Structures are given as structure tokens and as C-alpha cells.
Amino acid sequence: MKLLVTGTDGYIGSLLATELMNSGHEVTGLDTGFYLDGLLYDDLRPPAQRIPKDTRRVVPADLRGYDAVVHLAELSNDPLCQHDPQLTYEINHQGSVALARNSREAGVPRFVYASSCSVYGLAADENVTETSRVNPQTAYAECKALVERDVTALANDHFSPTFLRNATAFGASPRMRFDIVLNNLAGLAWTTKEIKMISDGTPWRPLVHVLDICDAIACSLSAPREAVHNQVFNVGDNAQNYRVREIAEIVAEVFPGCRLSFGANMGDQRSYRVNFDKINSRLPGFRCRRDARFGARELRTLFEKIQMTRETFEFRAFTRLKQLEHLLRTQQVDEHFFWRG
Ligand SMILES: NC(=O)c1ccc[n+]([C@@H]2O[C@H](COP(=O)([O-])OP(=O)(O)OC[C@H]3O[C@@H](n4cnc5c(N)ncnc54)[C@H](O)[C@@H]3O)[C@@H](O)[C@H]2O)c1
């Protein structure tokens, strides 16, 4: 297939582009390049064509001739979005809906959107499914829910959107993120030999390996249209609903000599588990192949190989909010996160 993938300079997108090209797809990447300063290791196979562009400036002419658009390029976590909720709506909600609308206008038949399990927020239900009520608690999650609502309304006989509600990712990527839970704990275990949790770590946190997210996207693209047309899938595995405490224990076991301590029960920290039956039964070819222990071991091997330092672990580009604050402070981007000059 001829694919346009947005966010190909990011944590998931850099691996996804490589995986899709290795499967024989023709990939064009589109990314504004906020995090290009950070490369943890280099085994990337960049797309033959890369469009350095903001999604908010994409027009239908940019999208003509593709068989599918895979859309990842957004501000990618809660702290980043709480920093400036208005801008989050501009990029994550309006930018993404405009991209979908332009894709439809350009005659692109499929649109795969990287949504998030965070749309469930504080769920009343103990075991949330795709039909459970969404209850987003942050600007980031609210935008994911709004994009789903607005892009669903665009579906027709010629335009099939698919919404992948990813669990929290983990695992190695050249465009690393150390601001997501397992990667962060692994980095702490390696650089300080200590994981000190403020809470008792009881809340549940569904996790999914970054390459399993890539597989879910690849399966959505190759699935028959009727299997994915206007469908929502939680992306993960029932066995990978962890308590934060368990994630810390797994990491501490895999990184020898790592001390682990927990804080007090923080009271009413409601949490939920996500049900992943639908993707495992209805998305042809998909299953999660890598668990948290696999991810922790993979990171330990990587840190050994590159002899990761504390300075690298704490480098701004591997923590999305730090990097954007740096770009603002040094006036490389304006207050709307457009590059200056
Ligand atoms: N990583 C996770 O745990 C996770 C979980 C659920 C959903 N997701 C979603 O998956 C997608 C990718 O996540 P990630 O972890 O790879 O994030 P990331 O921050 O590493 O990558 C996002 C990429 O998008 C680009 N980008 C951001 N805004 C842009 C814009 N306006 N125009 C063009 N490019 C822009 C950035 O430069 C970056 O390269 C995001 O939409 C995120 O919300 C991620």
C-alpha cells in the first residue's frame, strides 16, 4: 500500500515506518520534528520521503494518491497537554479532525488514528470495553475522545476510519521516551539503582509494547474493510493490565541491585482494567507478543550496549514536555508551536 504516516520522527512512528516498509509498504513520513534532537541509538530505516510539515498546514493536495493515512502526530501525553490546553485542542483536536477531513476530500479510503485508553479516565466499570462510556479527565484524553467523535461522523462508503485506543506503551525506540512509566522506571533503575515510589502503587495501568502497537496498525491496514470500518479497538492484552506496583517489581527484578520502596496508600485513587477481547478476536492476525518483563529486559540489554549515562536518561528530548519547553524558551517555536523562520 502507499501510506502517509504522520509522527514518523516520534517514539512509535519511527519504529512503525520501519516495520511497514519491511512489510513491503511504500511509506511517506510527515512530521514537524519537535524531538529530532534526541536519538538514543541509530538503527532507523527512515522513510524514502519525509515531509517536514505541521499537520495543521496539510492540505488535500498533500494527501492525494495514498491508500491510507496513519495519524500519530499529536502532543502525546497528559503533562504536555496540561501545559497549554488551548493549544492542545488546536493541534490534537482541530488539527487531527482537519487531517481526516482533508484525507476524505483527497479520496484516501482509510484513516487509522492513534487514540488512547486514557479516554476511559476514571471508569465506573471495572473492566472497560470499547462500548463503555468514555470519561476523559485531561485535555489530552478529552481531545482523543473528541477526535473519535468527529471523525466517526466522517465515515462513509469511501472513507473508513479506525480508532486504536492504545494502552500505555513501553519498549526501546531510537526516538525514545523516558516519560512513560516502564521506560522511566527502567531508566531510574539503570542510572540510580533505586526506584522510590511515592504511592503504594495499587492503581492498575494497562501496558502494551511499542512494537505490538505497530503490529496493531499494520493489521488494521491489511484487514478487510468491513472488519475495521469505523471501528474502535482497545490495543493491548488482558494479561497486561498491571498494577503500577507490579511494573516497578518487574523492573527491579530485571535490573540487578535495584532498591525498591513504596509510599503510603494515596486514598481514593480509582483505577480500572481494560478489556482487550475485541482486538484479539476481531482484528485478523493481531496478538500481543511482548510483555512487561520482555520490555524491561530489552531495555536493560540496550542500556548495557549503549552504556547509557544519567545525562542521556535526563536529556530533554527524551521527555516530551522538557523538549517543548526548551523550544519555546529558546524561541525556536512560537506560542502556537510553529517553527520560527
Ligand atoms: N506512547 C504511548 O504510550 C501512547 C499511548 C496511547 C496513544 N499514543 C498516541 O500515539 C501517537 C504517537 O505517540 P508517541 O509516543 O510516538 O509520541 P511522540 O511524542 O514520540 O511522537 C509524536 C510525533 O508527532 C510529531 N508532531 C506533534 N505535533 C505535530 C504537528 N502538529 N504536526 C506534525 N507533527 C507533529 C512530533 O514531532 C513527534 O515526532 C500520539 O498521538 C499519542 O497520543 C501514544
Side-chain angles (χ1 to χ4, degrees):
M1 289 170 98
K2 200 171 168 222
L3 306 172
L4 182 90
V5 183
T6 74
T8 38
D9 296 329
Y11 173 68
I12 300 173
S14 54
L15 295 172
L16 176 67
T18 302
E19 173 167 331
L20 293 173
M21 286 186 294
N22 288 345
S23 315
H25 296 291
E26 192 186 315
V27 175
T28 298
L30 185 144
D31 199 303
T32 192
F34 289 144
Y35 314 114
L36 285 174
D37 288 349
L39 189 64
L40 189 63
Y41 57 98
D42 191 2
D43 67 353
L44 281 177
R45 187 179 162 204
Q49 207 197 339
R50 176 181 174 274
I51 305 173
K53 197 166 192 172
D54 194 291
T55 51
R56 290 167 290 175
R57 292 188 166 151
V58 171
V59 293
D62 294 319
L63 302 165
R64 285 215 173 89
Y66 291 103
D67 299 310
V69 168
V70 179
H71 181 39
L72 308 174
E74 286 185 356
L75 303 180
S76 56
N77 69 10
D78 285 334
L80 198 55
C81 296
Q82 291 310 102
H83 172 86
D84 188 342
Q86 191 46 45
L87 184 58
T88 302
Y89 286 100
E90 209 181 282
I91 294 176
N92 289 15
H93 176 216
Q94 291 157 12
S96 294
V97 174
L99 184 76
R101 200 174 288 121
N102 286 335
S103 300
R104 188 173 88 153
E105 194 180 321
V108 178
R110 291 206 185 183
F111 187 87
V112 178
Y113 177 62
S115 187
S116 162
C117 284
S118 67
V119 294
Y120 297 118
L122 300 175
D125 198 341
E126 257 288 281
N127 186 28
V128 292
T129 71
E130 290 81 353
T131 56
S132 301
R133 195 172 73 87
V134 298
N135 187 19
Q137 300 294 309
T138 60
Y140 170 75
E142 172 83 22
C143 285
K144 292 289 188 200
L146 290 173
V147 174
E148 288 190 10
R149 182 199 69 187
D150 294 349
V151 176
T152 282
L154 298 175
N156 66 17
D157 287 349
H158 310 287
F159 183 70
S160 296
T162 304
F163 306 96
L164 300 179
R165 289 181 182 162
N166 300 294
T168 301
F170 64 89
S173 165
R175 301 287 181 198
M176 195 58 173
R177 286 184 58 184
F178 283 123
D179 53 8
I180 39 185
V181 60
L182 190 148
N183 295 358
N184 181 260
L185 295 176
L188 283 172
W190 175 258
T191 54
T192 67
K193 291 199 174 297
E194 180 158 30
I195 296 176
K196 244 187 195 164
M197 302 210 52
I198 302 165
S199 75
D200 66 351
T202 47
W204 292 94
R205 188 68 53 87
L207 296 186
V208 62
H209 193 280
V210 58
L211 289 175
D212 286 322
I213 294 182
C214 296
D215 288 349
I217 294 170
C219 289
S220 308
L221 291 166
S222 58
R225 179 177 179 273
E226 57 278 12
V228 292
H229 175 76
N230 220 6
Q231 292 293 312
V232 178
F233 295 97
N234 295 332
V235 179
D237 189 279
N238 292 342
Q240 292 211 63
N241 282 294
Y242 299 95
R243 288 189 187 274
V244 175
R245 180 181 192 97
E246 268 179 89
I247 303 170
E249 284 164 353
I250 290 170
V251 171
E253 271 168 44
V254 167
F255 285 79
C258 176
R259 291 182 303 280
L260 174 61
S261 59
F262 295 98
N265 184 315
M266 309 278 272
D268 181 27
Q269 276 195 67
R270 276 175 287 176
S271 66
Y272 58 90
R273 272 170 282 181
V274 175
N275 181 295
F276 297 98
D277 287 347
K278 181 176 173 184
I279 191 163
N280 283 289
S281 60
R282 302 220 342 235
L283 185 64
F286 179 77
R287 82 184 163 81
C288 278
R289 293 184 165 81
R290 305 143 185 110
D291 64 8
R293 194 169 300 277
F294 172 96
R297 288 189 179 133
E298 174 195 33
L299 290 178
R300 185 183 143 193
T301 306
L302 173 67
F303 298 163
E304 274 165 6
K305 185 172 157 201
I306 63 170
Q307 283 297 301
M308 190 176 75
T309 60
R310 189 166 180 160
E311 196 185 358
T312 299
F313 172 53
E314 290 174 356
F315 182 54
R316 55 181 155 73
F318 299 132
T319 294
R320 296 324 191 210
L321 178 57
K322 268 197 217 172
Q323 173 70 1
L324 286 182
E325 283 174 343
H326 167 79
L327 295 178
L328 276 172
R329 201 172 42 247
T330 52
Q331 301 194 359
Q332 296 184 67
V333 296
D334 68 17
E335 68 278 17
H336 293 279
F337 288 177
F338 286 116
W339 294 99
R340 289 179 195 269

